[in-house]
Amino acid sequence: IARLNNHLVICYHNEYTIEVSKQLLKSHIPFVVIDPCDEIEELAKKHKYPYYIKAEPHTELAMLKAHLSSAKGLITLSHSIADNIALIASVRLFEQEHSIPVPYNVITSAENISDLEKLKKLGANTVVTPTKLTAQRVTAMAAHPDMENLLEEFMYKSDTPLDMEEVEVPKYSWVVLKKLKETHFRQIANVSVVGIRKKDGKFSP
C-alpha cells in the first residue's frame, strides 16, 4: 500500500463497495478498502480487493495506513450518514494537518435530498442518491427503451474507444476568448466538444 500513488480509498464494505470495486478492477484503478469488521480478510479475498485494512476509517492511523497522502480521492458509501459525515470531516482535517496541496475528491452517498445538501455543505465533492439515480434510469428507459444500454455500452466500460470527461479551462489557457472553431480540438486531440459549462454553472449543449 505504501507504494500506491493516485489510488482511491474506499471506506466500509457493503453492496456498494462490491460493485464499485468490480468497476475499478475493470478500469485498472488501484484502491484500498478500509473496514473495521473482523471478517474483512475473508471478504477481501472473496471480492478480490487488492488491498484492505482492518480499522475504523475515520481515524488518522487508518488514513496513514491507506497512504491517503498519495491518494487522489476517498469514497465513503456507508448506510449511516453519521459515518459519512465523520469521514468527510476527518479527510478535510487530514488535508490541513498534512498540508495536502490538492484537495481530495470525496464521493459519498445519501438516502434523501436533505442529507445530500448537508453532506455537500460539509465538504463532499459528489453525493449520489441511490433513489434519485434509480428514478432517472427508470425514466430514461421508459422514455427511450431503445437507448437503455447506450451509456453503459459506450461510456462506462473501460474497453471502448469512446470516453467523456469534463475539462476545466484555467484563466491562463490559450483557448480563453477564442471561438470554439478556432481551437481546432478535433484536429489537435481527436475530441468533440458536446457542451460548455459557464462560470455560473449553466450548461450549454
Side-chain angles (χ1 to χ4, degrees):
I1 294 174
R3 290 195 294 268
L4 291 177
N5 190 37
N6 243 14
H7 59 292
L8 289 169
V9 177
I10 306 177
C11 302
Y12 299 107
H13 165 85
N14 53 35
E15 66 273 19
Y16 295 140
T17 309
I18 294 169
E19 292 303 317
V20 169
S21 69
K22 288 178 183 177
Q23 299 303 318
L24 293 177
L25 286 169
K26 283 181 182 178
S27 301
H28 305 288
I29 298 173
F31 63 93
V32 180
V33 176
I34 308 176
D35 193 283
C37 75
D38 294 328
E39 300 82 27
I40 186 61
E41 184 176 356
E42 290 77 15
L43 292 168
K45 289 177 180 177
K46 180 181 178 182
H47 299 290
K48 299 178 181 176
Y49 298 159
Y51 309 99
Y52 65 91
I53 295 169
K54 181 183 180 297
E56 287 291 347
H58 66 273
T59 62
E60 184 169 2
L61 182 60
M63 292 181 184
L64 290 171
K65 283 185 175 181
H67 206 38
L68 184 61
S69 58
S70 294
K72 66 177 178 182
L74 179 139
I75 301 172
T76 171
L77 301 173
S78 173
H79 294 295
S80 166
I81 188 173
D83 289 339
N84 293 332
I85 289 172
L87 254 303
I88 294 168
S90 299
V91 168
R92 297 309 180 203
L93 190 62
F94 186 92
E95 284 177 352
Q96 295 175 16
E97 292 180 345
H98 294 268
S99 303
I100 304 299
V102 180
Y104 295 116
N105 182 26
V106 179
I107 303 170
T108 186
S109 62
E111 296 299 321
N112 52 62
I113 299 300
S114 62
D115 287 348
L116 184 150
E117 295 299 328
K118 189 183 298 181
L119 291 165
K120 279 199 169 183
K121 287 178 182 176
L122 287 168
N125 297 89
T126 306
V127 184
V128 294
T129 309
T131 50
K132 186 178 179 181
L133 289 174
T134 303
Q136 288 174 339
R137 181 67 186 272
V138 170
T139 304
M141 289 164 60
H144 307 284
D146 53 335
M147 300 283 283
E148 176 187 348
N149 296 315
L150 188 64
L151 284 177
E152 284 187 2
E153 188 67 32
F154 290 107
M155 291 177 56
Y156 297 150
K157 288 185 178 179
S158 58
D159 55 350
T160 63
L162 184 64
D163 195 13
M164 181 180 286
E165 62 181 277
E166 188 172 49
V167 179
E168 184 178 352
V169 180
K171 293 179 180 179
Y172 53 82
S173 173
W174 62 272
V175 305
V176 171
L177 299 178
K178 285 194 176 186
K179 292 181 179 180
L180 199 56
K181 66 180 181 180
E182 295 173 345
T183 62
H184 304 291
F185 283 140
R186 182 79 61 84
Q187 291 85 351
I188 295 171
N190 194 28
V191 297
S192 298
V193 178
V194 297
I196 298 173
R197 192 185 304 279
K198 301 290 181 67
K199 284 183 180 179
D200 58 4
K202 186 178 179 181
F203 181 81
S204 302

